[in-house]
Amino acid sequence: MNRPLPAVRLRVPTHEDAVAWHRVFADPEVMEFHGGRPAELSVYEELTARQRRHDAEHGFCLWTLLDESGEVIGFTGAQPWPPDWGPVGETEIGWRLGRAHWGKGYATAAARETLRRLRAAGVPGVVAMVRPGNERSVAVARRLGMEQAETYPHPTLNESALCFRLSLSPTHTHAQ
């Protein structure tokens, strides 16, 4: 991708963002790797509330992603890996965009801003868990410099989840 990345803004999700996320993600293509069908509004109400807690506790979360005009187009950010399988205890970076915004660099731009914020918060590294076949997410992970490290058997799907990793530690230290 040689074109400049779009300008993006990230903010802690508001209660109203639950409605926006529900609307933006109400597309089977968007949800293909996230359960296959649109989720109920209550799922996003709980998710945005949890992200506000993550931000208060950790200084980061899945932030609401806004385009240049201030329209909610998805989310990008990080959260502690929640399930009891896979990279337990790690920080997961993730992104999800409305279909109309795919292929324009928004996920990469917002994920790079996420990495900047995580480094500033002292997070040592991140993982991205990606389902096989989700080539768009694999491409974003690779553009961020992430490398596939391992796979984990998915507890409910007949497939393994791909785990990409990136160290956020400085590659060298400066003399103080």
Side-chain angles (χ1 to χ4, degrees):
M1 182 162 51
N2 294 329
R3 69 182 180 275
L5 293 174
V8 295
R9 218 172 74 224
L10 300 175
R11 72 169 181 223
V12 175
T14 64
H15 180 71
E16 293 77 22
D17 286 342
V19 174
W21 289 8
H22 182 253
R23 177 181 38 78
V24 171
F25 302 145
D27 180 325
E29 276 190 273
V30 171
M31 298 304 291
E32 177 181 3
F33 298 101
H34 308 284
R37 63 183 194 286
E40 298 296 323
L41 177 59
S42 61
V43 169
Y44 295 110
E45 289 171 336
E46 191 281 327
L47 182 58
T48 55
R50 187 170 13 131
Q51 297 313 311
R52 289 190 293 277
R53 284 193 307 276
H54 286 326
D55 183 69
E57 293 170 14
H58 305 288
F60 58 85
C61 64
L62 293 176
W63 292 289
T64 294
L65 172 56
L66 304 145
D67 70 6
E68 301 92 330
S69 71
E71 178 187 351
V72 173
I73 62 171
F75 64 65
T76 305
Q79 62 182 346
W81 176 250
D84 58 0
W85 64 276
V88 175
E90 306 236 26
T91 299
E92 180 197 26
I93 186 172
W95 44 84
R96 189 183 309 169
L97 298 180
R99 177 69 186 91
H101 309 286
W102 290 3
K104 298 177 182 175
Y106 287 111
T108 300
R112 286 183 178 163
E113 172 62 16
T114 295
L115 293 177
R116 187 192 69 72
R117 291 180 181 192
L118 293 173
R119 278 187 184 99
V123 175
V126 293
V127 298
M129 296 295 288
V130 181
R131 287 189 51 199
N134 189 346
E135 295 306 321
R136 291 178 177 281
S137 279
V138 168
V140 172
R142 293 197 190 286
R143 281 194 289 274
L144 297 175
M146 301 184 87
E147 295 183 9
Q148 186 177 336
E150 65 256 85
T151 60
Y152 291 99
H154 195 286
T156 59
L157 303 172
N158 189 21
E159 64 185 28
S160 290
L162 310 176
C163 181
F164 290 80
R165 291 186 177 279
L166 180 66
S167 171
L168 299 181
S169 300
T171 54
H172 59 281
T173 57
H174 298 286
Q176 303 262 337

